[in-house]
């Protein structure tokens, strides 16, 4: 089935960004709004305590499970927001590199943000995503 997501690039914007600057989906696409994907194990405990990369990987894994439950995959994601509980740019970059690698060539528009605190004990990373599919 063809993808509902079209990534948009502009030669007038910096090529330093590792993502498309915009994305579209046709009017007949079904949009899927995911809750923030957290680095939680199935038993509710936080994975990778103190490790930004491990938490980013677990959040990506959980995001993929939520996408699957909604009838989508990572290639159907149209945008993301990656939240990292840190004031250090290196911590944000560590989490981002894991998320970016998971998306491969599907470099959707993304926002990377440092925040003061996230909702679960020891949580350092959360990923919000929107996807679009053609049913």
């Amino acid at each position: 089935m063809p993808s509902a997501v079209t990534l948009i690039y502009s030669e007038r914007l910096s090529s330093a960004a590792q993502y498309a600057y915009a994305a579209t989906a046709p009017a007949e696409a079904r949009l899927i709004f995911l809750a923030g994907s957290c680095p939680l194990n199935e038993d509710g405990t936080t994975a990778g305590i103190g490790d930004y990369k491990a938490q980013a990987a677990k959040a990506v894994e959980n995001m993929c499970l939520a996408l699957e439950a909604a009838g989508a995959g990572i290639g159907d994601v149209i945008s993301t927001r990656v939240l990292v509980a840190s004031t250090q740019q290196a911590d944000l970059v560590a989490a981002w590199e894991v998320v970016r690698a998971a998306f491969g060539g599907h470099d959707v528009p993304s926002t990377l943000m440092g925040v003061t605190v996230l909702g679960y004990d020891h949580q350092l990373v959360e990923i919000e995503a929107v996807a679009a599919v053609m049913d």
Side-chain angles (χ1 to χ4, degrees), residues 98-113:
V98 172
V99 174
R100 177 71 183 90
F103 277 87
H106 187 60
D107 52 352
V108 299
S110 297
T111 299
L112 176 63
M113 298 173 57

Side-chain angles (χ1 to χ4, degrees), residues 13-68:
L13 294 168
S14 172
S15 62
Q18 297 178 346
Y19 46 80
Y21 279 97
T24 63
E28 62 273 16
R30 176 171 55 94
L31 295 179
I32 302 166
F33 299 88
L34 278 70
S37 295
C38 301
L40 297 180
N41 296 311
E42 194 171 337
D43 65 3
T45 59
T46 302
I49 293 174
D51 185 335
Y52 289 93
K53 289 183 177 186
Q55 287 203 9
K58 185 63 175 178
V60 166
E61 178 184 329
N62 288 342
M63 177 189 69
C64 289
L65 291 172
L67 286 165
E68 182 182 325

Side-chain angles (χ1 to χ4, degrees), residues 1 38 46-47 49 51 56 66 69 75 83 86 98 106 115-116 123 135:
M1 180 177 292
C38 301
T46 302
I49 293 174
D51 185 335
L83 309 172
S86 178
V98 172
H106 187 60
V115 298
T116 57
Q123 182 183 358
D135 289 323

